[in-house]
Amino acid sequence: QSVVTQPPSVSGAPGQRVTISCTGSSSNIGAGYDVHWYQQLPETAPKLLIYDNNNRPSGVPDRFSGSKSGSSASLAITGLQAEDEADYYCQSYDSSLSGSVFGGGTKLTVL
Amino acid sequence: EVQLVQSGAEVKKPGESLKISCKGSGYSFTTYWIGWVRQMPGKGLEWMGIIYPGDSDTRYSPSFQGQVTISADKSITTAYLQWNSLKASDTAMYYCARRNGHYFSYWGQGTLVTVSS
């Protein structure tokens, strides 16, 4: 059971917008630590998607965006495409664990 | 080009020891933390611990403290994850990743460890 919570699954039709939530607590996201997002395609290593709450690494389409407020963060994907079907993880730092913490992951299904 | 190349898949028996590796290239190996992440079959990512190869400063997740050892040899730009006595529950994919700030910007391809009698 992760200290950072994500919905197990979300889905959307091609072209739609979906959001994935990431809820933490006062020892991680709520303490002001940044949130980062990773995309894991089937049978591949995770890939950095969003860093420091709302920044995209070079090469990541602007269809992906992140936001943070209080103890929660969100990943939004607009113009959903079949290739976006993957697992998505949020990650932050937790002061009580003195280390990184990942959310439980969210499986995105493109209908 | 930054690369992290991990050692190949391993099949071991319970009680055996194991050391897997992660070789960094294309950047200054001693100035970035390298972390290890576990992914059990069909499950999510778990942060195990992290090492700073410059001085071998190492931190562990409480869940993995005492269960594994993280080390690095900066002379060959390689980080390691080792077990003294494997259990069936150690069966998982293990990833190394380079940390920038508090996020992991580059990942290895993963090493699958299977522990079975």
Side-chain angles (χ1 to χ4, degrees):
Chain A
Q1 191 84 5
S2 177
V3 299
V4 176
T5 304
Q6 297 180 234
S9 63
V10 298
S11 62
Q16 284 190 332
R17 178 181 186 269
V18 297
T19 61
I20 298 172
S21 62
C22 173
T23 303
S25 67
S26 58
S27 62
N28 44 68
I29 301 172
Y33 294 108
D34 291 326
V35 177
H36 323 290
W37 291 91
Y38 302 87
Q39 177 192 58
Q40 187 176 32
L41 297 170
E43 306 302 318
T44 67
K47 167 193 164 187
L48 180 66
L49 198 63
I50 296 287
Y51 66 95
D52 294 348
N53 306 315
N54 55 14
N55 295 284
R56 285 186 308 277
S58 174
V60 173
D62 60 7
R63 301 186 297 104
F64 296 90
S65 63
S67 63
K68 177 192 162 192
S69 177
S71 297
S72 296
S74 288
L75 172 71
I77 310 172
T78 59
L80 207 55
Q81 299 179 4
E83 67 204 49
D84 299 332
E85 193 161 282
D87 294 323
Y88 293 84
Y89 295 89
C90 62
Q91 177 243 320
S92 187
Y93 180 85
D94 190 285
S95 58
S96 63
L97 300 174
S98 296
S100 296
V101 61
F102 287 96
T106 299
K107 181 175 181 59
L108 168 63
T109 300
V110 180
L111 302 171
Chain B
E1 179 196 7
V2 174
Q3 283 194 310
L4 295 173
V5 178
Q6 298 185 230
S7 49
E10 301 274 2
V11 179
K12 292 289 191 179
K13 291 183 175 3
E16 291 187 332
S17 63
L18 176 64
K19 192 173 189 177
I20 62 175
S21 66
C22 169
K23 182 171 177 61
S25 63
Y27 73 98
S28 176
F29 185 74
T30 56
T31 58
Y32 289 88
W33 293 80
I34 294 275
W36 286 95
V37 175
R38 183 176 79 174
Q39 187 168 37
M40 299 177 76
K43 302 298 184 183
L45 305 176
E46 300 174 89
W47 180 77
M48 301 176 70
I50 202 157
I51 187 165
Y52 189 74
D55 61 5
S56 291
D57 185 8
T58 308
R59 318 282 171 82
Y60 293 93
S61 162
S63 298
F64 293 92
Q65 179 83 48
Q67 308 304 308
V68 296
T69 301
I70 294 171
S71 60
D73 184 339
K74 60 186 179 183
S75 69
I76 55 172
T77 66
T78 301
Y80 300 98
L81 178 65
Q82 72 178 85
W83 296 259
N84 288 335
S85 181
L86 286 160
K87 302 184 284 287
S89 57
D90 292 317
T91 294
M93 182 71 82
Y94 293 88
Y95 294 101
C96 66
R98 193 190 88 170
R99 199 181 81 173
N100 279 56
H102 280 293
Y103 57 92
F104 297 100
S105 51
Y106 295 93
W107 292 69
Q109 83 276 19
T111 296
L112 180 62
V113 174
T114 304
V115 184
S116 174
S117 55

